[in-house]
C-alpha cells in the first residue's frame, strides 16, 4: 500500500539578489510503499534537500503535489518525522525529555511518555544516557537520540537528510547497522538522503538516483536482512549494485 | 624564591576555598596608597579624606539609618525599572527576532532611540513629568530596555533553524515553538542583556538621582557636595562600586554562566 506519493513535484527558488529564478526540482514523481526504505542519491545540487524539505513541509512547493495517505501536505507536522544532519537536539532538555517531546506535544501524560521514551532509548542502546544533556554525548550518540526522538512520535514517514554525514567512518557504520536493525523491528517508512552510495545500498529496499531535479533511475535492492557490514562488504550482489548505482550517479 | 612560590601556592589555595579573598586582596595596595597620600599632608584632609574618615562616616550613616534608607530607595527604583524593562523588552525582542516583518519595521526605530542616550531625555522628561518618580522610572526603563531587546533579538537569531523545524515536525504549534525552543534558546543572550541593562540602569539611576532625586545614593552624593563633605561623596562612590560588584559577580554572572554552560550553548554553537 503506498503511503507517500510525489506527483510532478516542482520547485523554483527566487533569488532576490540576482533577481532571477532557479529551478531546483524540475519534475519528480515517486511513490513510496508503507514500510519501505527508500534511499535517494545524486550529485551535489541535484535537489535532494529541496525535495526532503518540501515533504517535511519546511518550504512550499511551486508545482505538482505531495500526498501522504491521500492528503496533500501543507506545512510541517508530526506525521512526518525528520532526522537532521545537525542532529537538532534541544540542548536545554535531557536526552529523555528530547525523546519524549513529541508525545508531550500530543498531550501524553508524563509517566506514559517517559515510558515510551525509555523504550525507544533502550532500542538504541541509550538507556544509560537518559538523564544527560545532548552536549555531554558524542556525535554518534546524539544522532541515535535524533533517530529515536523522531521514531518515538510514530510518524507515517521518517525523513532523513544525510543524518550520518557528520560522524566518523567507524561510528557511521555502526549507526547504519543499528538503523537497519531498528527498521527491521519497527518497519517505519523511510526516505533517506545521502551522498554515500554504499550507505544508500546497504540501508535501502530501493535506491532512487536524482539528476538535475529529475529522477534519473531507480534500482531495487533485494539483499537479505539483517544486513551487517562484515557480510556485505564481501557480498557480490552488494558490490554489483553499488557499482551500478555509482555509475548512474557519475553519469548524472 | 622558594618562599615566594610557597606563599603564592597558599594564596591560590586560599582563594579557591574563599573566593572573596581574590576580590579583596587587589584592593589592599589601592587603599594603602590612598591612605599614604591622604596622610602625607599633601592636601587638607577635608579636601582629600583618608580611608579611616570614610569608614567612620560609613558607620555613622549606617547607625543613623540614612545610608540603609537611601540604598533601599535606589535599589527599589532600579528593580522597578528593570522589572518593567524585562516585561516590555523580552516579548518585544522575541517578536522582532522571530518575525522578518517586525524586524524590518522596528529595527531602524530601535537603533534611532538607542542612540538618544538616557540622560538626553531628561530635559523633556522634566518638563513633561517634573522632578519625581515618573521621570526616574522612565529613564531606568529606557536604559534597561535596549540591551534586553537587542540581546533578545540576537538570542532568537542565534537559535539554529533546525531546532524550530525539529519541534514543528514533532507536532509543536508556532506558540509552542516560541515557548519550548525560541525562548530557552535565547535565554543565555537574554540574561546577558539583563546583566548589561542593569549595569547601565544602575549608572543612569545615580545620574538621575543627582539631578532630580530627593533620596538615594546619587542624591546623597550631590547633597554632600552642597555641604562640601568629600567624605560622603567618596563613601557614595565606594558604595556604588561594591554594590554593583556584589550584584554582578555574585548573582548575575553565575546565572549567565549556569544557563549557557549547562546546555553547551556558550562553547559550541
Ligand atoms: N534557498 C535557496 N535559494 C535559492 N536557491 C537554492 C536554495 N536552496 C537551494 N537552492 C539551489 O537549488 C539547487 C538544489 O539544492 P539542494 O540543496 O536541494 O541540493 P542537494 O541535492 O541537497 O545538494 P547537496 O548534496 O550538496 O546537499 C541548488 O542549485 C541550490 O543552489
Ligand atoms: Mg542537501
Amino acid at each position: 500500500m503506498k503511503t507517500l506519493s510525489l506527483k510532478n513535484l516542482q520547485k523554483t527558488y527566487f533569488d532576490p539578489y540576482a533577481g532571477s529564478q532557479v529551478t531546483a526540482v524540475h519534475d519528480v514523481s515517486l511513490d513510496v510503499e508503507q514500510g519501505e526504505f527508500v534511499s535517494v542519491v545524486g550529485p551535489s545540487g541535484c535537489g535532494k534537500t529541496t525535495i526532503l524539505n518540501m515533504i517535511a513541509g519546511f518550504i512550499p512547493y511551486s508545482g505538482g503535489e505531495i500526498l501522504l495517505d491521500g492528503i496533500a501536505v501543507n506545512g510541517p507536522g508530526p506525521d512526518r518525522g525528520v532526522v537532521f544532519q545537525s542532529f537538532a537536539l534541544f540542548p536545554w532538555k535531557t536526552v529523555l525529555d528530547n525523546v519524549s517531546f513529541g508525545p508531550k506535544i500530543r498531550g501524553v501524560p508524563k509517566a506514559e511518555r517517559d515510558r515510551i521514551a525509555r523504550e525507544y532509548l533502550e532500542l538504541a542502546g541509550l538507556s544509560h544516557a537518559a538523564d544527560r544533556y545532548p552536549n555531554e554525548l558524542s556525535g554518534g550518540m546524539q544522532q541515535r537520540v535524533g533517530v529515536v526522538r523522531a521514531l518515538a512520535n510514530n510518524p507515517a514517514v521518517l525523513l532523513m537528510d544525510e543524518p550520518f554525514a557528520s560522524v566518523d567512518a567507524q561510528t557511521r557504520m555502526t549507526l547504519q547497522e543499528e538503523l537497519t536493525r531498528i527498521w527491521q523491528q519497527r518497519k517505519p517508512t523511510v526516505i533517506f538522503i545521502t551522498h554515500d552510495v554504499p550507505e544508500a545500498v546497504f540501508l535501502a529496499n530501493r535506491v532512487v538516483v536524482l539528476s538535475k531535479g529529475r529522477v534519473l533511475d531507480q534500482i531495487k535492492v533485494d539483499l537479505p536482512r539483517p544486513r551487517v557490514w562484515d557480510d556485505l562488504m564481501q557480498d557480490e550482489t552488494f558490490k554489483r549494485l553499488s557499482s551500478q548505482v555509482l555509475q548512474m550517479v557519475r553519469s548524472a | 624564591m622558594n618562599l615566594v612560590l610557597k606563599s603564592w601556592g597558599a594564596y591560590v589555595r586560599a582563594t579557591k576555598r574563599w573566593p572573596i579573598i581574590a576580590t579583596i586582596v587587589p584592593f589592599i595596595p589601592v587603599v594603602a596608597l590612598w591612605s599614604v597620600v591622604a596622610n602625607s599632608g599633601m592636601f587638607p584632609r577635608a579636601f582629600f579624606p583618608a580611608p579611616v574618615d570614610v569608614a567612620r562616616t560609613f558607620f555613622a550613616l549606617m547607625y543613623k539609618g540614612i545610608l540603609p534608607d537611601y540604598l533601599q530607595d535606589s535599589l527599589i527604583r532600579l528593580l522597578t525599572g528593570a522589572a518593567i524593562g524585562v516585561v516590555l523588552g523580552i516579548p518585544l525582542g522575541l517578536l522582532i527576532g522571530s518575525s522578518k516583518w517586525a524586524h524590518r519595521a522596528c529595527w531602524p526605530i530601535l537603533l534611532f532611540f538607542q542612540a538618544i542616550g538616557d540622560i538626553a531625555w531628561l530635559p523633556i522628561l522634566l518638563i513633561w513629568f517634573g522632578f519625581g518618580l515618573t521621570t526616574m522610572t522612565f529613564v531606568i526603563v529606557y536604559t534597561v530596555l535596549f540591551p534586553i531587546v537587542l540581546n533578545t533579538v540576537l538570542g532568537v537569531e542565534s537559535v539554529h533553524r533546525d531546532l524550530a523545524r525539529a519541534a514543528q515536525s514533532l507536532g509543536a504549534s508556532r506558540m509552542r515553538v516560541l515557548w519550548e525552543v525560541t525562548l530557552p534558546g535565547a535565554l543565555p543572550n537574554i540574561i546577558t542583556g539583563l546583566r548589561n541593562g542593569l549595569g547601565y540602569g544602575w549608572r543612569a539611576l545615580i545620574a538621575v538621582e543627582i539631578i532630580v532625586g530627593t533620596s538615594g545614593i546619587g542624591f546623597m552624593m550631590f547633597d554632600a557636595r552642597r555641604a562640601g563633605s568629600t567624605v560622603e561623596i567618596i563613601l557614595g562612590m565606594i558604595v556604588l562600586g561594591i554594590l554593583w560588584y556584589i550584584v554582578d559577580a555574585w548573582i548575575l554572572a553565575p546565572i549567565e554562566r549556569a544557563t549557557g554552560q549547562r546546555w553547551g550553548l556558550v562553547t559550541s554553537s
Side-chain angles (χ1 to χ4, degrees):
Chain A
M1 193 190 84
K2 79 176 176 209
T3 179
L4 179 72
S5 97
L6 316 184
K7 288 185 183 156
N8 306 107
L9 193 61
Q10 201 228 327
K11 175 68 187 181
T12 306
Y13 287 111
F14 175 67
D15 184 342
Y17 300 100
S20 62
Q21 304 207 316
V22 188
T23 302
V25 177
H26 283 273
D27 178 9
V28 168
S29 297
L30 186 69
D31 285 330
V32 180
E33 297 286 316
Q34 169 106 52
E36 195 182 10
F37 196 121
V38 175
S39 288
V40 179
V41 293
S44 188
C46 70
K48 302 184 293 295
T49 297
T50 303
I51 292 174
L52 195 99
N53 283 345
M54 287 191 285
I55 302 173
F58 298 148
I59 56 175
Y61 38 97
S62 327
E65 57 181 353
I66 301 174
L67 300 176
L68 184 62
D69 294 324
I71 298 161
V73 158
N74 183 15
D79 47 357
R80 284 147 291 138
V82 181
V83 180
F84 297 82
Q85 187 181 336
S86 64
F87 312 150
L89 302 178
F90 308 120
W92 47 85
K93 288 184 188 293
T94 61
V95 165
L96 187 76
D97 289 344
N98 264 280
V99 178
S100 64
F101 185 81
K104 178 181 168 188
I105 296 290
R106 263 189 284 133
V108 177
K110 172 117 179 88
E112 172 65 5
R113 67 181 188 247
D114 282 358
R115 193 193 57 72
I116 297 173
R118 282 186 198 284
E119 181 192 319
Y120 276 92
L121 285 174
E122 169 128 38
L123 189 67
L126 280 169
S127 299
H128 62 286
D131 296 322
R132 293 211 239 156
Y133 284 85
N135 70 318
E136 299 165 343
L137 307 180
S138 69
M141 289 165 86
Q142 291 191 40
Q143 195 56 302
R144 285 186 183 93
V145 178
V147 172
V148 292
R149 179 179 66 178
L151 279 175
N153 208 26
N154 232 334
V157 207
L158 190 60
L159 306 170
M160 307 173 87
D161 188 0
E162 307 200 34
F164 304 149
S166 49
V167 298
D168 66 90
Q170 250 86 52
T171 310
R172 189 178 315 147
M173 290 171 94
T174 316
L175 288 172
Q176 289 158 353
E177 290 180 340
E178 283 179 11
L179 182 60
T180 55
R181 178 175 56 79
I182 291 173
W183 179 81
Q184 248 190 303
Q185 285 181 21
R186 303 268 155 169
K187 287 285 159 63
T189 310
V190 183
I191 297 188
F192 189 100
I193 285 179
T194 177
H195 267 116
D196 183 343
V197 170
E199 175 175 70
V201 175
F202 179 87
L203 293 169
N205 303 119
R206 176 158 57 119
V207 178
V208 175
V209 182
L210 290 188
S211 166
K212 305 191 185 80
R214 290 190 168 84
V215 176
L216 183 72
D217 212 339
Q218 314 196 17
I219 199 164
K220 275 228 163 302
V221 182
D222 283 325
L223 294 166
R225 293 179 189 266
R227 296 178 187 170
V228 283
W229 278 114
D230 281 345
D231 299 345
L232 282 194
M233 229 138 22
Q234 310 302 329
D235 188 276
E236 287 307 319
T237 324
F238 176 76
K239 283 199 253 180
R240 186 174 44 76
L241 288 170
S242 296
S243 68
Q244 244 176 307
V245 174
L246 194 62
Q247 299 238 305
M248 291 181 202
V249 173
R250 289 176 58 99
S251 72
Chain B
M1 196 61 213
N2 210 346
L3 189 69
V4 174
L5 284 180
K6 265 198 182 135
S7 36
W8 173 246
Y11 175 72
V12 169
R13 259 173 283 127
T15 53
K16 258 261 159 58
R17 203 104 160 277
W18 301 286
I20 186 150
I21 293 179
T23 307
I24 290 173
V25 166
F27 285 101
I28 293 175
V30 176
V31 175
L33 183 69
W34 170 18
S35 193
V36 168
V37 173
N39 285 311
S40 69
M42 233 189 301
F43 311 105
R45 281 287 270 267
F47 178 79
F48 193 88
V52 278
D53 304 326
V54 176
R56 207 175 295 132
T57 311
F58 171 74
F59 287 115
L61 289 180
M62 283 303 272
Y63 181 72
K64 283 191 230 160
I66 295 174
L67 196 57
D69 280 354
Y70 280 2
L71 215 52
Q72 192 185 341
D73 285 350
S74 292
L75 284 177
I76 286 175
R77 284 171 196 152
L78 180 68
L79 290 182
T80 311
I84 299 174
V86 164
V87 168
L88 295 175
I90 293 178
L92 194 60
L94 289 176
L95 179 72
I96 296 174
S98 42
S99 153
K100 222 170 25 185
W101 291 108
H103 193 287
R104 281 197 193 136
C106 298
W107 194 253
I109 300 175
L110 217 57
L111 291 187
F112 173 81
F113 280 105
Q114 191 204 13
I116 308 173
D118 33 46
I119 306 298
W121 276 90
L122 268 183
I124 191 88
L125 289 177
L126 288 175
I127 293 174
W128 286 347
F129 303 123
F131 288 76
L133 194 62
T134 316
T135 301
M136 273 194 266
T137 309
F138 186 100
V139 172
I140 306 302
V141 172
Y142 192 87
T143 321
V144 173
L145 190 67
F146 286 99
I148 293 181
V149 173
L150 297 178
N151 277 285
T152 303
V153 172
L154 263 177
V156 171
E157 286 171 348
S158 76
V159 180
H160 199 297
R161 186 182 58 185
D162 284 352
L163 286 183
R165 286 180 165 182
Q168 285 182 298
S169 291
L170 291 164
S173 62
R174 284 195 68 137
M175 276 316 286
R176 208 65 198 266
V177 171
L178 192 71
W179 179 247
E180 300 267 8
V181 178
T182 314
L183 192 61
L187 196 59
N189 282 280
I190 293 176
I191 291 169
T192 304
L194 181 62
R195 189 180 166 194
N196 293 341
L198 281 175
Y200 301 149
W202 182 233
R203 279 171 247 174
L205 173 68
I206 301 308
V208 176
E209 281 179 349
I210 284 178
I211 298 167
V212 302
T214 48
S215 69
I217 300 291
F219 171 74
M220 181 187 91
M221 291 167 67
F222 205 67
D223 202 40
R225 186 206 67 101
R226 225 170 280 147
S229 166
T230 50
V231 196
E232 272 182 45
I233 297 177
I234 292 176
L235 176 63
M237 292 163 71
I238 292 173
V239 167
L240 291 182
I242 292 177
L243 204 66
W244 181 251
Y245 187 91
I246 290 174
V247 172
D248 188 70
W250 295 356
I251 303 173
L252 297 175
I255 296 177
E256 191 179 5
R257 255 178 279 131
T259 49
Q261 272 171 5
R262 179 79 223 229
W263 303 339
L265 293 179
V266 172
T267 43
S268 66
S269 54

